[in-house]
């Protein structure tokens, strides 16, 4: 029996007078990968920020494990590891130091061996790990941020354009990683405009256009969601 | 997570930021310089007093030996009066830049001697000394603004803000712990040099604690202001501009405006006018009948009525009587000035509540006994001492006492602690 981990219930979020999300509802079950697909300005990142308590809903509710985010922000944040788009960690610190600092912020301690193991999983080059991140490529920075999210070992992962800046090999590795995490029970909510990438890993996909859900797809019988179908719907409804 | 662990984490984080470390080093350096500068100035003042005391005694002894009457001895004898710097004055030289802290006075008319050096430090009256009070009240806010204004804005620009807040659970805890670390390091950097200076100068522990409270209050005010401003949804440069505008307004514009208002609201006779009026009175006396001097003198000193007759063209008792009449002529002006200065000071004290910088400087000056009140107390001591000199010489002059050096054994000596009650 699966349980609902993340739920948007008639969620509306406005910035000033402008609605960014309008009355959207969805549910994500434990161990699912849920992808919110949409073009620029569709409200994808706003959704994640609302679940992190960084934006307040105008109406409706954002629920995590059945609890309203607004009522228990710290507890909810403790259950979610967040990978922001174009994650910029501190350039004057090394990957180790960045990870150590952010984990400490979350009140988590990890051994150097644990960190090494996760750096290996995300294929961050050994020789780069002690260098200041100002020398890192965008892909290396993204891998470090992914490693940080994994090291939190939270039941939920929020990923904002997670494959941005990664090369094709790294994207494949990342997709495998996400699939394995989901199999291990981690619930993953990702926002992306990469239709192909989303179809590779997601159990559910929702199309978002100007803050409104305009379509949804679900993998059936253990098969992947059909890329062609989603792509057609995306082109027709999400970016029209 | 314990507070120690949080503090330790943010301390380690802070220590990896070269710019922030340099800022603390510069602040510590400036604080050290301000303390050194204050100590040097206090040493200079103390050394001047020591040197003048020796020279003064020597000159006076020579005059007493050389002269053959008490009038001549009084004329050529100078007496050093001084307001010794307190142990804490190195930290806040205060009004010692503006009001004289030493006078070499004679038996002549006093008011002119008090006010003739009033404008000696006009340049310093504008800029002030680079002492700890100046550093704390004027420069410390700048360091706090630089350290705190863009804590959030810079993270937003760098794209880390949301990750930081989402990871920290409560964003407020993060900004608070970062603020505590930065402000604590700055506080230590600026207070430690003061503490060393205070211990070297033998400042009382209670007084050190009071200075600490002033430092704490100044830092606390600017810290809360910076935190409030940095939480506004503006860019770092916009927040910094706002804070700097507030700093300029409260540190320079408000005190200058309040000074102008106070001076306009409470008029006071100028020291120069008092000197001029007194000198005219004294100089005119040479051309007047002797009675024109002696009558107002006797009116004030009836005890000398029987000895007030002047029979020769020049007599010392007549000479000193017209000096005293000169003082009597400007007594009202002088009193008006003292009252006005005191009232101006009181009114400026109220205005200081609009300027944290002025309030900090005034608080430290008050603790260091270098404020206007202390300067007026010193003037009061000088007047008392001069009155003692007159009490010593008048019987000798009016009774035509035979000149003898032994009489000077009871010559009053200036005591800087005399009449220290304000």
């Amino acid at each position: 029996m699966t349980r609902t981990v993340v739920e948007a219930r008639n969620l509306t979020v406005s910035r000033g007078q402008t609605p960014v999300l309008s009355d959207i509802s969805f549910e994500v079950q434990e161990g699912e990968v849920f992808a919110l697909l949409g073009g620029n300005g569709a409200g994808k990142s706003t959704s994640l920020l609302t679940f992190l308590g960084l934006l307040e809903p105008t109406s409706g509710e954002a629920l995590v494990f059945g609890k309203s985010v607004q009522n228990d922000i710290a507890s909810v944040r403790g259950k979610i590891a967040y990978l922001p788009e174009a994650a910029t960690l501190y350039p004057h610190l090394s990957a180790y130091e960045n990870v150590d600092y952010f984990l400490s912020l979350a009140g988590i301690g990890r051994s150097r061996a644990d960190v090494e193991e996760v750096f290996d999983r995300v294929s961050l080059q050994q020789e780069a790990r002690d260098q200041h991140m100002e020398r890192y490529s965008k892909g290396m920075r993204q891998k470090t941020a992914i490693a940080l999210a994994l090291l939190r070992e939270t039941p939920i992962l929020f990923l904002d354009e997670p494959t941005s800046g990664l090369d094709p090999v790294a994207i494949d590795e990342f997709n495998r990683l996400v699939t394995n995490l989901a199999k291990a029970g981690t619930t993953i909510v990702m926002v992306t405009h990469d239709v192909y990438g989303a179809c590779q890993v997601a159990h559910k996909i929702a199309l978002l256009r100007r803050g409104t859900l305009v379509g949804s797809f679900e993998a059936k019988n253990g098969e992947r969601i059909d890329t062609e179908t989603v792509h057609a719907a995306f082109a027709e409804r999400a970016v029209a | 997570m314990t507070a120690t662990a949080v503090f330790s984490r943010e301390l380690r984080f802070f220590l990896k930021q070269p710019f922030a470390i340099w800022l603390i080093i510069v602040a510590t350096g400036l604080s050290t310089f301000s303390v050194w500068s204050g100590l040097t100035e206090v040493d200079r003042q103390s050394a001047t007093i020591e040197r003048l005391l020796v020279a003064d005694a020597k000159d006076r002894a020579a005059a007493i030996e050389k002269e053959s009457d008490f009038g001549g001895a009084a004329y050529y004898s100078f007496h050093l009066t001084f307001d010794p710097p307190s142990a804490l004055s190195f930290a806040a030289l205060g009004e010692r830049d503006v009001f004289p802290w030493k006078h070499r006075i004679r038996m002549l008319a006093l008011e002119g001697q008090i006010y003739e050096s009033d404008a000696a430090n006009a340049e310093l009256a504008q800029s002030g000394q680079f002492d700890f009070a100046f550093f704390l009240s004027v420069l410390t806010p700048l360091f706090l603004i630089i350290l705190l204004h863009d804590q959030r804005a810079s993270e937003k620009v760098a794209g880390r803000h949301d990750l930081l807040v989402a990871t920290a659970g409560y964003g407020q805890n993060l900004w608070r712990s970062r603020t505590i670390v930065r402000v604590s390091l700055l506080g230590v950097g600026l207070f430690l040099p003061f503490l060393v200076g205070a211990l070297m100068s033998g400042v009382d522990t209670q007084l050190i604690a009071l200075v600490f409270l002033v430092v704490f209050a100044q830092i606390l005010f600017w810290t809360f202001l910076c935190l409030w401003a940095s939480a506004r949804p503006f860019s770092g440069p916009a927040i910094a501009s706002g804070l700097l505008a507030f700093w300029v307004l409260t540190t320079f514009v408000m005190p200058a405006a309040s000074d102008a208002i106070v001076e306009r609201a409470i008029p006071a006779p100028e020291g120069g006018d008092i000197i001029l009026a007194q000198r005219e009175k004294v100089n005119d006396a040479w051309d007047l009948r002797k009675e024109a001097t002696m009558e107002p003198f006797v009116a004030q000193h009836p005890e000398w009525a029987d000895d007030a007759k002047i029979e020769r063209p020049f007599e010392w008792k007549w000479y000193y009587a017209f000096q005293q009449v000169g003082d009597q002529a400007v007594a009202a002006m002088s009193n008006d000035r003292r009252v006005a200065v005191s009232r101006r000071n009181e009114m400026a004290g109220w205005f200081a509540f609009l300027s944290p910088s002025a309030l900090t400087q005034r608080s430290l000056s008050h603790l260091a006994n270098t404020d206007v009140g202390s300067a007026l107390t010193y003037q009061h001591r000088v007047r008392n001492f001069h009155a003692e000199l007159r009490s010593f010489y008048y019987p000798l002059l009016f009774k035509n006492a035979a000149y003898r050096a032994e009489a000077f054994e009871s010559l009053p000596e200036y005591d800087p602690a005399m009449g220290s009650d304000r």
Side-chain angles (χ1 to χ4, degrees):
Chain A
M1 173 110 184
T2 56
R3 58 174 172 162
T4 302
V5 175
V6 176
E7 182 183 359
R9 200 179 282 169
N10 305 112
L11 189 62
T12 297
V13 179
S14 303
R15 282 184 170 172
Q17 297 298 313
T18 315
V20 189
L21 289 178
S22 298
D23 195 28
I24 67 165
S25 297
F26 59 78
E27 284 185 14
V28 185
Q29 310 302 318
E30 189 168 29
E32 270 186 351
V33 178
F34 176 72
L36 265 173
L37 267 177
N40 292 332
K44 307 185 298 288
S45 298
T46 300
S47 312
L48 293 191
L49 296 181
T50 307
F51 277 97
L52 288 166
L54 292 163
L55 293 173
E56 281 195 32
T58 315
S59 64
E61 275 188 301
L63 304 164
V64 173
F65 288 114
K67 283 184 184 171
S68 169
V69 171
Q70 301 309 312
N71 294 340
D72 201 357
I73 287 181
S75 160
V76 166
R77 285 175 180 165
K79 292 181 174 68
I80 302 172
Y82 169 54
L83 174 69
E85 184 182 5
T88 311
L89 301 180
Y90 288 102
H92 64 282
L93 302 181
S94 70
Y96 277 120
E97 288 167 336
N98 263 297
V99 163
D100 181 53
Y101 178 73
F102 277 90
L103 288 177
S104 169
L105 264 187
I108 298 166
R110 295 277 182 265
S111 69
R112 175 96 180 188
D114 289 343
V115 177
E116 289 278 5
E117 191 260 321
V118 174
F119 279 165
D120 288 341
R121 279 168 69 193
V122 298
S123 305
L124 182 68
Q125 293 97 310
Q126 183 78 43
E127 63 276 14
R129 296 173 187 177
D130 279 315
Q131 288 177 0
H132 285 183
M133 287 188 68
E134 62 200 355
R135 297 178 193 165
Y136 279 27
S137 67
K138 192 178 175 191
M140 288 160 72
R141 288 200 298 269
Q142 192 72 357
K143 285 177 180 177
T144 310
I146 294 168
L148 169 62
L150 297 178
L151 280 159
R152 296 255 332 256
E153 294 181 1
T154 52
I156 307 168
L157 266 178
F158 277 9
L159 311 173
D160 193 346
E161 305 287 0
T163 53
S164 161
L166 296 182
D167 59 47
V169 175
I171 289 174
D172 280 346
E173 285 173 1
F174 176 76
N175 288 343
R176 269 198 298 279
L177 196 64
V178 167
T179 306
N180 290 338
L181 283 168
K183 279 180 185 165
T186 305
T187 306
I188 298 166
V189 177
M190 60 192 282
V191 302
T192 181
H193 55 254
D194 175 11
V195 176
Y196 178 78
C199 292
Q200 292 288 304
V201 294
H203 300 104
K204 284 181 188 168
I205 291 175
L207 289 183
L208 204 56
R209 180 177 183 264
R210 293 183 189 168
T212 308
L213 284 180
V214 291
S216 59
F217 306 89
E218 195 164 343
K220 299 258 169 60
N221 306 320
E223 292 182 0
R224 285 180 186 166
I225 299 169
D226 181 51
T227 309
E228 294 294 324
T229 311
V230 176
H231 192 269
F234 185 79
E236 184 189 334
R237 290 178 251 168
V239 293
Chain B
M1 215 174 176
T2 64
T4 316
V6 170
F7 190 82
S8 159
R9 177 193 74 217
E10 290 305 326
L11 184 63
R12 275 183 280 123
F13 178 75
F14 183 85
L15 293 176
K16 283 175 182 156
Q17 299 176 80
F19 171 73
I21 294 169
W22 273 111
L23 208 64
I24 300 293
I25 290 172
V26 170
T28 308
L30 282 173
S31 178
T32 306
F33 177 73
S34 74
V35 168
W36 173 82
S37 167
L39 286 170
T40 306
E41 176 59 21
V42 166
D43 280 350
R44 190 189 67 77
Q45 291 183 7
S46 298
T48 301
I49 290 168
E50 290 301 318
R51 182 170 50 79
L52 288 179
L53 274 174
V54 174
D56 201 55
K58 198 173 158 188
D59 285 356
R60 204 163 46 243
I64 289 167
E65 190 184 332
K66 185 181 159 204
E67 293 303 314
S68 54
D69 55 44
F70 286 108
Y75 186 85
Y76 290 106
S77 293
F78 285 86
H79 302 263
L80 180 69
T81 67
F82 55 93
D83 184 18
S86 68
L88 185 59
S89 57
F90 78 90
L93 293 160
E95 300 297 334
R96 291 176 79 84
D97 287 345
V98 182
F99 288 85
W101 48 268
K102 64 177 186 337
H103 291 291
R104 288 186 81 211
I105 60 163
R106 290 192 282 167
M107 261 281 285
L108 307 184
L110 177 65
E111 295 301 326
Q113 298 183 71
I114 284 181
Y115 290 113
E116 68 188 349
S117 53
D118 234 17
N121 295 317
E123 303 88 351
L124 287 174
Q126 288 299 312
S127 61
Q129 294 270 3
F130 192 94
D131 56 12
F132 183 71
F134 174 81
F135 173 70
L136 178 68
S137 60
V138 176
L139 298 185
T140 299
L142 283 181
F143 284 98
L144 285 163
I145 290 171
I146 296 170
L147 276 174
L148 302 178
H149 79 279
D150 68 344
Q151 281 204 100
R152 295 181 202 202
S154 65
E155 297 294 5
K156 280 179 183 163
V157 168
R160 282 185 299 265
H161 178 269
D162 293 344
L163 177 62
L164 280 167
V165 173
T167 309
Y170 280 119
Q172 288 301 334
N173 292 348
L174 171 65
W175 310 127
R176 201 176 297 139
S177 55
R178 282 191 176 182
T179 301
I180 290 171
V181 166
R182 290 173 181 211
V183 172
S184 301
L185 287 176
L186 181 69
V188 169
L190 70 90
F191 192 73
L192 211 56
F194 162 77
L195 190 63
V196 172
L199 294 175
M200 280 168 61
S201 301
V203 178
D204 183 55
T205 317
Q206 205 175 357
L207 215 46
I208 293 176
L210 288 172
V211 172
F212 177 78
L213 284 181
V214 175
V215 172
F216 187 73
Q218 165 79 337
I219 288 179
L220 205 62
F221 173 82
W222 284 96
T223 298
F224 274 113
L225 186 71
C226 290
L227 284 182
W228 175 81
S230 68
R232 303 302 100 194
F234 302 121
S235 68
I239 293 167
S241 302
L243 287 167
L244 285 174
F246 183 81
W247 173 73
V248 169
L249 187 74
T250 58
T251 306
F252 300 106
V253 180
M254 284 297 302
S258 67
D259 280 355
I261 293 168
V262 166
E263 284 188 20
R264 213 179 170 84
I266 306 172
E270 293 297 326
D273 293 339
I274 296 172
I275 297 172
L276 202 64
Q278 185 198 59
R279 282 187 184 163
E280 276 176 9
K281 189 75 182 172
V282 168
N283 291 340
D284 287 352
W286 290 99
D287 304 322
L288 297 174
R289 292 178 304 108
K290 302 285 189 291
E291 292 77 14
T293 294
M294 298 315 287
E295 278 165 17
F297 176 79
V298 168
Q300 286 281 317
H301 290 281
E303 68 270 28
W304 303 117
D306 297 340
D307 305 294
K309 191 165 178 59
I310 308 299
E311 292 166 337
R312 282 170 287 164
F314 179 85
E315 289 187 39
W316 281 114
K317 61 183 177 187
W318 165 69
Y319 178 82
Y320 289 112
F322 73 64
Q323 297 289 334
Q324 171 137 10
V325 170
D327 276 342
Q328 286 170 202
V330 295
M333 271 176 93
S334 181
N335 186 59
D336 287 349
R337 177 163 175 78
R338 287 198 300 278
V339 170
V341 166
S342 199
R343 281 184 58 215
R344 281 177 174 180
N345 181 45
E346 192 181 332
M347 195 171 174
W350 287 108
F351 272 113
F353 284 99
L354 300 174
S355 163
S357 162
L359 195 61
T360 302
Q361 292 217 23
R362 287 180 67 88
S363 304
L364 288 181
S365 292
H366 183 72
L367 291 175
N369 285 331
T370 55
D371 57 357
V372 171
S374 301
L376 291 177
T377 302
Y378 166 58
Q379 272 191 13
H380 179 65
R381 284 186 204 133
V382 174
R383 287 192 176 88
N384 281 349
F385 175 66
H386 195 265
E388 283 183 30
L389 278 182
R390 279 177 170 156
S391 298
F392 171 78
Y393 277 112
Y394 281 176
L396 300 170
L397 295 170
F398 281 86
K399 293 294 181 189
N400 292 317
Y403 191 72
R404 52 196 170 81
E406 300 77 55
F408 290 98
E409 284 169 9
S410 53
L411 182 69
E413 281 186 27
Y414 176 74
D415 175 8
M418 177 180 64
S420 53
D421 53 313
R422 288 182 194 170

